[in-house]
Amino acid sequence: MSESDNQATSILLPSSKLAVYSKDPTTLEAAQGLEDDWRFARVRIAGEEGGVESAIQVYHEISSPDLIVIQTDTIDEGFTEKLGELAGHCDEGTSAIIIGPDNDVNLYRKLIDMGVSDYMVRPVSTEDLAEVVAKALIEKIGVTGSRLIALTGAKGGVGTTIIAEALACGVSDILGQKAMLLDTSGGWSTLGVGLGFEPSTTLDEAVRAAENNDEDSIKRMLHNVDERLQVLATGGDVMLEDTVTPEQFEALIDMLMVKCPTVIVDVSHSPAALQRCVITRANQIMVVSTPTLPALRLARSLIQEVRQVRGGDHGEVSLIINMQGQAASSEVSKNDIEKAMELSVAAYLPFDSKVFLNNESESKKLTEDKAARDIIDKHLLPLVRKHLAAAESSEQPEEDGGFLDGILGKLKKKA
Ligand SMILES: Nc1ncnc2c1ncn2[C@@H]1O[C@H](COP(=O)(O)OP(=O)(O)OP(=O)(O)O)[C@@H](O)[C@H]1O
Ligand SMILES: [Mg+2]
């Protein structure tokens, strides 16, 4: 697997179901080991002692999971026929991975041709299984190569939204890459002020368009800041009403991530359920705080919670300290912040009304201001540069209709 493939599978995998059928205890142990891999926190894994026959029996009665792994000792006509029978009992879109006895290129090609996602040779380790399963799941949901960055504030007003805008402008203007920015705050959104657009839609309309796979409506809801940066122009929502559900928002993210390699979501001033949904799903999380005690105390708790919802993973949590110098005498030192947080400060941004508040009030893109551009380039882009370079070089997934399609196609060809 290439460097970029590995990068692409280093994400928290989407909620999904995986079943592993094997008579080999080593394989079942390897499957069980996936539960300790942070990427699989939301994948429900079932290890079943048995082979293709058992799977046929089970999915004759209950609906099939997103991905089935089947180990077999023999791969002959009999097995491929049974695989066809299994496909007949599976739900549309179910994918399959086969673990077999031999390293045989022709056999590999034959199975892939049948619509099987991958073929592995026994014995398989947890590590190998994790990579192949992660790749298959990502291909199925179509997010390979896209990166989701979530920004959350330890406290209200610490600058999360303006930093999300700054990052989005930096990715598009300085790194020259396509980016999309959206927020989860509904009627509380201030993105329109900073980036100079009228909120023309609501979160409710946007998730409905995503549910209906309505590309045209989504296109109309996107405001083009420039040729590389688009913002979802929500904000017309009623401020004192509940907004969308996490499931609805996740469907919207799925749709946007297929369109754009970098999706930045500002979750400040948003319902906890939506914050949690984006934070769980994101490849990278930026927690914004000021260097003052009340904000830092919340930042510490928030970072702990973020780690919990991500199954203990904290590799991709960056702490940004904003507004340094605003209240110098009450600020906590960098050393003390890092000790208390057990985390290095990833970026320090100065308090500078001219750079932030003035440009925001004038709806001026931050990268058009020399001082703001320098701050973005020096402090924010180093947090994303490496990952975005990897995302850019990885391929977009092919459409995958599951192995049912492949096998049915083959059966039709035969007839
Ligand atoms: N480093 C800074 N220097 C000066 N002003 C700043 C700085 N960072 C943010 N601001 C200003 O502070 C105000 C609050 O920022 P912003 O709206 O981004 O905060 P927020 O954390 O998203 O707030 P909310 O919790 O309401 O979502 C804005 O007017 C912004 O321009
Ligand atoms: Mg905000």
Side-chain angles (χ1 to χ4, degrees):
M1 198 171 277
S2 73
E3 179 85 357
S4 62
D5 274 344
N6 278 328
Q7 282 280 1
T9 56
S10 291
I11 64 162
L12 190 74
L13 297 166
S15 298
S16 49
K17 288 184 191 160
L18 163 71
V20 179
Y21 286 83
S22 172
K23 292 174 189 154
D24 178 356
T26 323
T27 305
L28 291 173
E29 267 167 40
Q32 205 178 10
L34 296 176
E35 286 175 8
D36 298 326
D37 187 323
W38 68 270
R39 294 172 295 173
F40 286 77
R42 300 195 304 160
V43 180
R44 280 197 10 224
I45 304 160
E48 308 285 351
E49 210 183 320
V52 65
E53 294 90 353
S54 316
I56 292 170
Q57 230 172 8
V58 171
Y59 304 125
H60 185 55
E61 283 157 23
I62 60 166
S63 71
S64 54
D66 301 284
L67 179 60
I68 307 173
V69 177
I70 293 185
Q71 178 160 3
T72 177
D73 290 333
T74 46
I75 299 199
D76 50 16
E77 280 293 314
F79 175 75
T80 45
E81 255 168 44
K82 286 210 178 92
L83 207 54
E85 195 183 333
L86 173 63
H89 293 302
C90 283
D91 299 352
E92 201 175 332
T94 291
S95 306
I97 291 169
I98 306 299
I99 301 172
D102 309 307
N103 193 356
D104 177 339
V105 177
N106 289 329
L107 175 64
Y108 175 82
R109 288 213 184 107
K110 186 175 170 193
L111 289 172
I112 298 296
D113 192 39
M114 284 178 76
V116 164
S117 297
D118 219 326
Y119 174 71
M120 302 176 79
V121 180
R122 68 157 193 234
V124 294
S125 65
T126 296
E127 220 181 14
D128 292 340
L129 196 58
E131 287 310 323
V132 173
V133 167
K135 193 165 161 268
L137 285 175
I138 290 169
E139 273 175 7
K140 196 167 138 53
I141 63 162
V143 294
T144 304
S146 296
R147 198 156 176 91
L148 182 67
I149 303 172
L151 285 99
T152 179
K155 202 168 165 295
V158 293
T160 309
T161 298
I162 199 85
I163 292 174
E165 286 171 22
L167 182 67
C169 292
V171 170
S172 67
D173 253 3
I174 301 174
L175 297 184
Q177 291 193 23
K178 271 176 76 178
M180 196 174 285
L181 175 63
L182 66 155
D183 73 8
T184 45
S185 64
W188 300 87
S189 175
T190 53
L191 285 181
V193 179
L195 294 169
F197 64 88
E198 274 308 311
S200 58
T201 188
T202 63
L203 274 181
D204 197 53
E205 278 172 357
V207 300
R208 230 166 315 139
E211 268 164 8
N212 297 331
N213 216 3
D214 182 351
E215 296 269 353
D216 289 342
S217 295
I218 290 283
K219 211 170 163 189
R220 276 196 298 275
M221 293 174 192
L222 290 168
H223 167 76
N224 296 315
V225 178
D226 56 42
E227 75 269 22
R228 281 186 293 265
L229 175 59
Q230 293 185 302
V231 190
L232 188 68
T234 57
D237 316 64
V238 178
M239 292 171 83
L240 298 179
E241 265 182 20
D242 287 342
T243 57
V244 300
T245 66
E247 293 74 27
Q248 288 175 313
F249 193 77
E250 195 162 1
L252 175 65
I253 292 182
D254 282 343
M255 190 170 180
L256 297 179
M257 284 187 77
V258 175
K259 291 178 174 302
C260 189
T262 303
V263 176
I264 298 170
V265 187
D266 163 24
V267 303
S268 62
H269 210 126
S270 303
L274 291 186
Q275 293 199 39
R276 187 188 162 97
C277 152
V278 179
I279 285 170
T280 309
R281 175 74 190 271
N283 303 94
Q284 187 171 8
I285 299 129
M286 300 188 182
V287 175
V288 182
S289 175
T290 53
T292 50
L293 200 54
L296 288 168
R297 199 167 270 182
L298 295 185
R300 188 179 147 81
S301 306
L302 182 60
I303 289 169
Q304 274 166 0
E305 286 194 26
V306 167
R307 287 172 178 174
Q308 266 163 18
V309 299
R310 293 176 62 84
D313 161 55
H314 48 86
E316 294 297 350
V317 181
S318 310
L319 173 64
I320 299 178
I321 300 295
N322 188 28
M323 303 193 187
Q324 190 193 18
Q326 185 190 24
S329 60
S330 337
E331 288 175 9
V332 179
S333 73
K334 182 171 186 269
N335 228 344
D336 287 346
I337 294 176
E338 293 186 337
K339 243 192 263 163
M341 299 285 169
E342 294 167 21
L343 186 72
S344 315
V345 175
Y348 254 105
L349 305 183
F351 179 80
D352 191 331
S353 302
K354 245 180 159 172
V355 164
F356 294 97
L357 192 52
N358 285 14
N359 285 314
E360 183 186 33
S361 306
E362 288 169 19
S363 300
K364 195 165 149 194
K365 216 165 60 168
L366 287 161
T367 36
E368 282 170 7
D369 177 295
K370 167 88 173 73
R373 192 181 174 97
D374 287 349
I375 290 175
I376 295 168
D377 198 15
K378 185 165 168 216
H379 299 286
L380 289 181
L381 293 183
L383 309 188
V384 296
R385 236 184 207 114
K386 183 181 94 194
H387 298 300
L388 297 194
E392 195 182 33
S393 62
S394 62
E395 288 167 19
Q396 285 296 320
E398 285 168 23
E399 282 286 314
D400 181 9
F403 89 122
L404 176 67
D405 281 4
I407 290 176
L408 283 184
K410 190 181 147 104
L411 289 179
K412 277 184 203 142
K413 260 186 241 163
K414 259 186 166 179

